[in-house]
Amino acid sequence: MLEKVEKLIKQLSSFLTMKRIYITASLGLVIAFLVMFLMLPGKNIALLDPKGLIAEQQLDLLVFTTLLGLVVIIPVFVLLFVFAYKYRASNKKADYQPDKKDNVLLEIIWWGIPILIILLLSVVTWVTTHQLDPYKPIESSKEPVKVQVVAMQWNWLFIYPDHGVASVNELPMPVGAPVEFSITADAPMSAFWIPNLGSQTYAMNGMTAKLHLVADKPGVYPGMNTNINGEGYAKMRFKANAMSQAEFDAWVSRAAGSDNHLDWNEYTELSQPTKDIPPRYFMLHESDIYDRVIAKYMDHGGGNKSTDNQNSGHNHEGMGH
Amino acid sequence: MKGWGIDMWGRLSLEALPHDIVTIGGVVGGGLAVLAGVAALTYFKKWGWLWREWITSLDHKKIGIMYMIVAVVMLLRGFADTLMLRAQQAVFGAGDGGPISADLFQQVFSAHGTIMIFFVAMGILFGALNLIVPLQIGARDVAFPLLNSISFWLFVAGMMLMNLSLAIGEFSTAGWLAYPPLSGLEYSPGTGVDYWLWSIQIAGIGSLLSGINFLVTIFTMRRKGMTLMKMPIFTWSVVGSMALVLWAFPILTATLAMLTLDRTIGTNFFTSDLGGNPMMYVNLIWAWGHPEVYILVLPAFGVFSEIVPVFSRKKLFGYKSMVMALMAITVLSFTVWLHHFFTMGAGANVNAFFGIMTMIIGIPTGVKVFNWIFTMYKGKVSFTSPMIWFMGFVVTFTLGGLTGVLLSVPGIDFQMHNSLFLVAHFHNMIIGGVVFGLFAGITYWWPKFTGFYLHEKLGKIAALCWIVGFLVAFVPIYILGLMGAARRLDSYDPSLGWQGLFVVAAVGVLIIGLGVVVQVAQVAYSIWKRKELRAPHDAWGGRTLEWYAHTPVPEYNFAVLDTVKSRDEFWQMKQENRFRSKSTLLPIELPKNTSAGFLIGMTAGLIGFAVIWHIWWLVVIGVIAVVGLVIWANLREETEFELSVGEILRHEKSMKRAGL
């Protein structure tokens, strides 16, 4: 029995030469990459296909940084394989100097070049971090649309305070107009992200996070939560619907005239943990729902309940703001 | 006050047993494996041997081997979790349902991350440290042998609690770092988060004690003549790593303690209201979490810094540069934690600062890569399996470095944070960096402790499976991240067309799985053929002192302690042919076995279990027992035994007679 196993192993071993193994491995990789590549056409590769100013700037930054990185990476790959091949033990012609002295010049080069690259990237980072600060309003000739976002377990509520309407799990927005989001959570820490439009932001209890985005092309873009906040986390999706100003105005008047009224009672029901509520529109019946959601978490103990949301809300804005 | 009958067992009841078929399968499988082990030990009458030779041993080499065994078993469990996650996303994610519910899926990914970091990576790391560091610095033991045993058994206790959650109760669904408020009492009232807290709290205290132990060992027990700048580079990497343990793990301990208090006695450190602040938790956990990455990866750098010179038959290029780079990374790793949450609303100045600090770490890391590559320059490179791991490491780690620099730019991170791009990046660093490094190290040092090589060809096949499998598994995950896929999704909108890429990723994981199977076969086959694969003391033409010790290493490591003269001491000894010792043989003191470490560890585990289930009387008994055990362990009078000159001589001769 054992001898048979040994014989089988020997046969297998002589068939599987290292050369054949290397060829199989390389072929496998090539096929896998080919398959992946063939899967891509027709898909929404959101980060490489921006539909708004912020996402566009972020793509430019992504491309620039990648190219800068390749300046270091390509020499690494080339040197690795060239040296590995040239100085392989079986190559008797190659020079062998086991006690070769350290070459200070070479070391200065590869401390120096990365330092220069990082110096350049640091400047770019400083500038773009300020330029892409989510709190910074987008300059535009159009009036910004204000949207208050509440992350609930596990649905999204969008309140349009200036338009007197609200929407669940769908985010209608006019093309070309900057949208000023105020984001909070009535759920464990969540995160608001529309990949085609750019920047995501955490949504947290008792605080407002600001985010400014704009859609430059009409379309329906997937939006989602990216921070786990309970069982229904994966289902917490919405559609960002970028439409013309006329369509948006029509939607607003439809919603304002609808029979669905959003007041605190309706909100309390809506914010119960549920999954997959189909998109719904509301006429905004009470204007302070967003502030009351924040105030729910403003209890500091000792009975000193602050009702001045403006004030304490500001204190609870994200760190540094 | 309820009667004893109801309250005595706290929250524990039959309800805690698993209900769903997947968990039951896991419990039955795990239970059968444990039963098989118990049956085998009983059948072969090995319980006494296990107790005397292993469980109560204070020999750093045996403790190292035990760490390795536990960590490898946990690797298999963590990998089983991977298979479930990949199967869910590839097969059922685009539809609804499947055998894995959302709740179970969340338990599985939380367990996967926790196990892989705390019980696999940390376990193999401490195993390697125990095995190598004392030998490399030419010492006979670690500074505190009993503390070492306590650390190990605390690690085992944490591991046992972690796995017990499968059978009794549930595991956390809050991810491997359990951010509040999700991990708070309001949203996670069950025992899951408590299991998470106590398993890593107990294991983490073990890690902290080990960190102290190894720092003291390296700073005080180096062989005479081995100045800091003559220390082997692996030991230098351990200095960096253990300094980080010393500075970072207390933060973890305190943070976990505060969350435990929030959950157990109702304090408000991290609650959303009553003055609590969840953002503080996020800051604190990453103030530990980012250094933790370097705790794992620095020793992997150290391993490659040993392997490349040995297999290039040439000294390490730029030793001083390498030491500087290691120390720079050690310090810088404490200045970057905020890059884990650029999207939490910090101002542009703060974000930009932490982004730039993160990029700066890329500089010393890049220097290390160039130094390794130039070590091959004008060398004689033999492509053994450790070198295959090295080549795979440079390729994958450099790609991970690039994506890491992308993520460090806040403007880009705003788009990639919490996406699968991020998931691919850190697996890139942990698998391509830490795992490849540790596997290379295991292959390289294996013959020192067993007396035989691991089968080379199987090793190369395994390495190739891992490298190819890694790329096939994680390139699609990168692409999915660019498509806007968030992490941790148990289901997704099928119309987005993500399923194909998830299937490719699953195939990649199966290729890695093939690598794991080959590795198991490699170990089994090598043990079977150990006579043919027999290795000499100096298995690879080594450069450092561990290769000067006998193989397998005797309990006292070195019979005589000659002064060290140069950096690559053993290589120099071979060059100058100076093997005759100038020292005289003296009696050697070695630590006596004790059960204290085992008992303290197990009692700590019991305390954890009792708090998780609110069995307060058991907590009291456990705490009293631990205090008593610590006092007893310290009052022991004869902690060492002496090996006489005659015994050492006999031992040395017997090893030479065996042809080693």
Side-chain angles (χ1 to χ4, degrees), chain A residues 250-297:
Chain A
W251 173 78
V252 168
S253 49
R254 251 200 333 275
S258 82
D259 295 335
N260 299 331
H261 288 202
L262 187 64
D263 53 18
W264 188 249
N265 283 336
E266 178 69 28
Y267 172 78
T268 310
E269 209 164 291
L270 205 58
S271 63
Q272 296 307 309
T274 45
K275 289 180 233 175
D276 271 343
I277 300 182
R280 252 162 82 191
Y281 316 126
F282 297 91
M283 192 270 262
L284 197 57
H285 199 70
E286 289 171 13
S287 61
D288 63 344
I289 288 178
Y290 182 83
D291 293 335
R292 283 175 75 175
V293 170
I294 289 185
K296 270 175 79 173
Y297 298 93

Side-chain angles (χ1 to χ4, degrees), chain A residues 6 13 16 47 58 87 89 96-97 107 111 125 130 193 195 200 202 205 226-227 230 233 235 299 319, chain B residues 96 106 272 274 313 321 343 345-346 349 359 371 378 381 388 411 414-415 417-418 457 482 484 487 529:
Chain A
E6 275 195 273
S13 178
L16 282 175
L47 269 56
Q58 285 171 325
Y87 297 105
Y96 174 52
Q97 297 182 15
E107 289 199 69
W111 277 95
T125 297
H130 285 83
W193 190 27
Q200 60 183 301
Y202 282 162
N205 298 149
T226 65
N227 204 62
Y233 155 70
K235 300 271 185 204
D299 186 352
M319 331 178 321
Chain B
D96 261 317
Q106 293 176 352
S272 292
L274 297 162
R313 311 199 57 72
S321 234
T343 58
N349 289 347
M359 292 163 201
N371 278 345
K378 301 210 168 170
V381 189
I388 305 289
F414 291 152
Q415 271 287 54
H417 180 66
N418 268 357
K457 193 187 236 177
L482 292 176
R487 67 197 295 197
K529 296 286 173 195

Side-chain angles (χ1 to χ4, degrees), chain A residues 103-257:
Chain A
N103 187 328
V104 179
L105 182 70
L106 276 177
E107 289 199 69
I108 289 175
I109 291 176
W110 60 70
W111 277 95
I113 291 179
I115 287 176
L116 289 178
I117 290 177
I118 296 301
L119 210 63
L120 173 60
L121 192 56
S122 298
V123 174
V124 173
T125 297
W126 187 267
V127 173
T128 56
T129 305
H130 285 83
Q131 181 193 348
L132 289 165
D133 184 3
Y135 278 67
K136 202 183 112 203
I138 296 171
E139 282 169 35
S140 167
S141 53
K142 288 201 178 178
E143 189 72 3
V145 176
K146 279 190 182 147
V147 180
Q148 296 167 331
V149 181
V150 182
M152 306 179 293
Q153 269 189 329
W154 294 279
N155 296 283
W156 292 99
L157 174 64
F158 303 107
I159 300 169
Y160 297 71
D162 294 347
H163 299 81
V165 296
S167 159
V168 170
N169 290 344
E170 188 175 342
L171 173 67
M173 55 201 283
V175 168
V179 184
E180 182 194 320
F181 294 100
S182 303
I183 302 169
T184 192
D186 194 3
M189 187 192 283
S190 313
F192 171 86
W193 190 27
I194 309 165
N196 286 99
L197 301 186
S199 288
Q200 60 183 301
T201 300
Y202 282 162
M204 292 180 283
N205 298 149
M207 298 174 239
T208 285
K210 291 270 185 192
L211 176 64
H212 294 84
L213 297 174
V214 61
D216 292 325
K217 289 172 194 132
V220 178
Y221 310 119
M224 72 201 80
N225 173 15
T226 65
N227 204 62
I228 179 165
N229 66 347
E231 201 208 326
Y233 155 70
K235 300 271 185 204
M236 197 167 156
R237 314 169 193 145
F238 65 94
K239 298 251 184 271
N241 194 349
M243 50 183 85
S244 69
Q245 186 68 45
E247 284 171 307
F248 180 73
D249 292 341
W251 173 78
V252 168
S253 49
R254 251 200 333 275

Side-chain angles (χ1 to χ4, degrees), chain B residues 520-532:
Chain B
V520 172
Q522 181 198 24
V523 171
Y525 187 78
S526 307
I527 293 173
W528 182 25
K529 296 286 173 195
R530 61 189 176 279
K531 292 221 171 81
E532 290 170 28

Side-chain angles (χ1 to χ4, degrees), chain B residues 165-181:
Chain B
S165 71
L166 201 61
I168 305 172
E170 60 191 352
F171 195 64
S172 169
T173 55
W176 82 284
L177 285 183
Y179 283 10

